[in-house]
Amino acid sequence: MITSNEMLPPATNKGRGEYVENQPHHKSRFQILLEILLASTKLGFTSFGGPVAHLAYFKDEYIDRRKWLDDKTYTDIIALCQFLPGPASSQVGISIGMLRGGILGGIISWIGFTLPSVIVLIIFAMFYQTFTLEDAGFIHSLKVVAAAIVLHAVIGLGKKMTPDKIRLSIAIVAAFIMLVYPSAWMQIVIIICAGVLGIKLFKDKAESKVTPFSVTISKKTGIISLGILIFGLIALPIITKLTNNPLLNIFDIFFRVGSLVFGGGHVVLPMLEREVVPTGWMLPEQFLAGYGMAQAVPGPLFTFSSYLGTIMEGIGGAVVATVGIFLPSFLLVIAALPFLNELRKHSTFQGILMGVNASVVGILLAAFYDPVIKSSIFDASDFALGVVLFALLNIWKIPAWLIVILGVAGGYIISFIGI
């Protein structure tokens, strides 16, 4: 638990929209920010295994070891981030950084957690382009790895988000529509329709008792943050068409995806694929190779955007894509904090989320066939390797980073023995 000797009472600078809580009085602001940077960077180098594993790492480092927050506050932060589109684990890390060191603390926490995997994926993209890695054996193995991991994600999300026949039916219909009419805008239409349907179908399933969340950030700041997000979604496509600037186009793509993707890192796959492959930014092989490599690095899966940005427009593209896809998370966290308590009490809001989550499972199921299966499983040996990797991941609970290593090794063994 947090003691009075460790923490000051919450403080808020509402005029600048800065949310600061649990700030130690015996340390300078520089020391606090440096502490955040060191702790988050450590997690950025060691947090393998995806969003659920990230939350466990955060609890061990921030709550149990450093005692920055108590368990209840940490649980409330997780609940907040589950209600928002975008990468939930990154949003939790951002929120903890804001509680510890204000908005700048949130930015530093994100940098530390994200930068290691960003650097690795940028370097991988540069090697991929420089040495023409399309025909390299390990590239195809990474595609098979991606197939196993996406299937595992579909099953995991399905169990959690479609626990009854009604939600499973929504997922199946969403998958059917996406396979017949594959487009980025169709995904948005499906998500909206599923949310509206959820209001009618799932109001009775809503929880009656919801734990309140203590917030000191002003509602004015939240509204301003939401306004910036909405303005970006409306203005960026218009400005992009008028200027025809490739970097601005990349920022528009990734900002839009980061604002609208529900369900975490794996769900970003189909949305990004629809934006960058059919439009000619890259080949399906390039896309899947990067997605497979993203499984091998620690930190958030959304850093896949760094790889894509490098392929699209070099280092500048990587920076723009990475900032673009994560910026909505900052804006949404700031916007949602002051209003969360009221929203979570309403059965209507809970029903919307149930419908949206069910549709997300269907969208991911469609993506499992196209582009994942179509671009990775070409023969019986590919299928056999994929089955083994899936079994190791799903049954024996082998971590994703080790699955990547085993997948690449297995691909080379199959190639060597001539199967």
Side-chain angles (χ1 to χ4, degrees):
M1 295 292 293
I2 300 171
T3 65
S4 59
N5 291 329
E6 293 172 319
M7 302 294 177
L8 279 176
T12 306
N13 188 338
K14 294 183 180 180
R16 293 198 299 265
E18 188 173 3
Y19 174 52
V20 183
E21 186 179 32
N22 295 333
Q23 183 171 319
H25 62 82
H26 60 279
K27 295 182 180 180
S28 69
R29 182 160 178 79
F30 174 78
Q31 289 175 315
I32 294 168
L33 295 177
L34 180 61
E35 185 181 38
I36 294 171
L37 178 62
L38 294 176
S40 59
T41 303
K42 172 187 173 183
L43 290 168
F45 278 108
T46 59
S47 296
F48 292 94
V52 175
H54 296 164
L55 298 179
Y57 287 117
F58 288 165
K59 186 177 186 303
D60 178 69
E61 181 69 20
Y62 293 140
I63 313 306
D64 298 337
R65 198 172 78 82
R66 296 179 181 270
K67 301 187 184 302
W68 285 359
L69 305 171
D70 58 25
D71 287 328
K72 181 182 179 301
T73 304
Y74 181 63
T75 303
D76 288 343
I77 291 172
I78 294 174
L80 163 66
C81 297
Q82 294 296 335
F83 276 89
L84 303 175
S89 62
S90 293
Q91 289 167 339
V92 169
I94 291 168
S95 299
I96 293 174
M98 287 184 179
L99 289 170
R100 186 69 175 173
I103 291 178
L104 183 56
I107 295 172
I108 289 176
S109 176
W110 169 77
I111 290 174
F113 183 58
T114 306
L115 191 59
S117 59
V118 167
I119 293 173
V120 172
L121 289 169
I122 289 175
I123 293 173
F124 175 73
M126 295 172 67
F127 270 92
Y128 188 98
Q129 291 179 307
T130 303
F131 296 101
T132 315
L133 297 179
E134 288 88 345
D135 297 326
F138 79 93
I139 293 296
H140 181 68
S141 297
L142 287 175
K143 298 175 192 176
V144 179
V145 168
I149 291 176
V150 172
L151 178 58
H152 177 67
V154 170
I155 293 174
L157 287 174
K159 290 179 179 178
K160 180 180 178 181
M161 297 182 179
T162 58
D164 51 54
K165 292 182 179 179
I166 297 177
R167 277 176 277 187
L168 183 59
S169 298
I170 292 175
I172 292 172
V173 171
F176 176 82
I177 295 174
M178 278 305 305
L179 288 170
V180 176
Y181 301 103
S183 72
W185 286 109
M186 182 56 69
Q187 293 174 38
I188 298 173
V189 171
I190 290 172
I191 289 173
I192 293 174
C193 291
V196 173
L197 196 60
I199 297 175
K200 183 174 180 61
L201 296 177
F202 305 125
K203 287 180 66 175
D204 295 338
K205 296 181 180 292
E207 296 181 25
S208 58
K209 295 182 180 180
V210 180
T211 304
F213 186 89
S214 179
V215 181
T216 57
I217 190 171
S218 70
K219 291 185 177 181
K220 179 181 178 181
T221 300
I223 292 172
I224 292 173
S225 182
L226 183 61
I228 294 172
L229 178 68
I230 294 173
F231 176 79
L233 288 172
I234 296 173
L236 280 172
I238 298 173
I239 298 174
T240 298
K241 287 188 177 181
L242 292 176
T243 60
N244 197 30
N245 183 289
L247 289 177
L248 189 58
N249 192 4
I250 292 172
F251 186 81
D252 173 38
I253 290 171
F254 287 86
F255 184 85
R256 184 170 64 253
V257 170
S259 302
L260 300 174
V261 61
F262 285 86
H266 292 288
V267 182
V268 81
L269 169 68
M271 296 193 77
L272 286 176
E273 191 274 339
R274 303 300 178 196
E275 293 281 358
V276 302
V277 175
T279 54
W281 281 104
M282 67 187 62
L283 299 172
E285 292 77 14
Q286 293 175 308
F287 183 87
L288 274 178
Y291 185 74
M293 186 62 186
Q295 308 298 326
V297 298
L301 188 57
F302 270 53
T303 54
F304 178 41
S305 60
S306 305
Y307 166 87
L308 297 178
T310 306
I311 296 291
M312 296 163 79
E313 199 67 26
I315 299 295
V319 173
V320 169
T322 305
V323 173
I325 204 167
F326 281 102
L327 179 58
S329 291
F330 285 91
L331 298 174
L332 285 165
V333 166
I334 296 171
L337 280 171
F339 301 98
L340 178 66
N341 278 330
E342 295 301 319
L343 287 174
R344 293 181 70 207
K345 293 176 184 177
H346 294 295
S347 58
T348 298
F349 184 67
Q350 294 185 45
I352 290 172
L353 288 177
M354 291 181 190
V356 168
N357 288 339
S359 70
V360 163
V361 175
I363 292 172
L364 187 56
L365 180 61
F368 176 64
Y369 171 73
D370 183 11
V372 176
I373 289 294
K374 288 180 65 176
S375 300
S376 61
I377 307 299
F378 296 145
D379 52 37
S381 61
D382 290 338
F383 181 77
L385 179 60
V387 168
V388 171
L389 295 175
F390 172 76
L392 292 172
L393 188 66
N394 195 59
I395 300 174
W396 283 277
K397 310 302 180 184
I398 302 297
W401 65 268
L402 184 54
I403 292 293
V404 174
I405 296 173
L406 294 174
V408 172
Y412 276 114
I413 291 173
I414 290 172
S415 176
F416 180 75
I417 63 178
I419 296 179

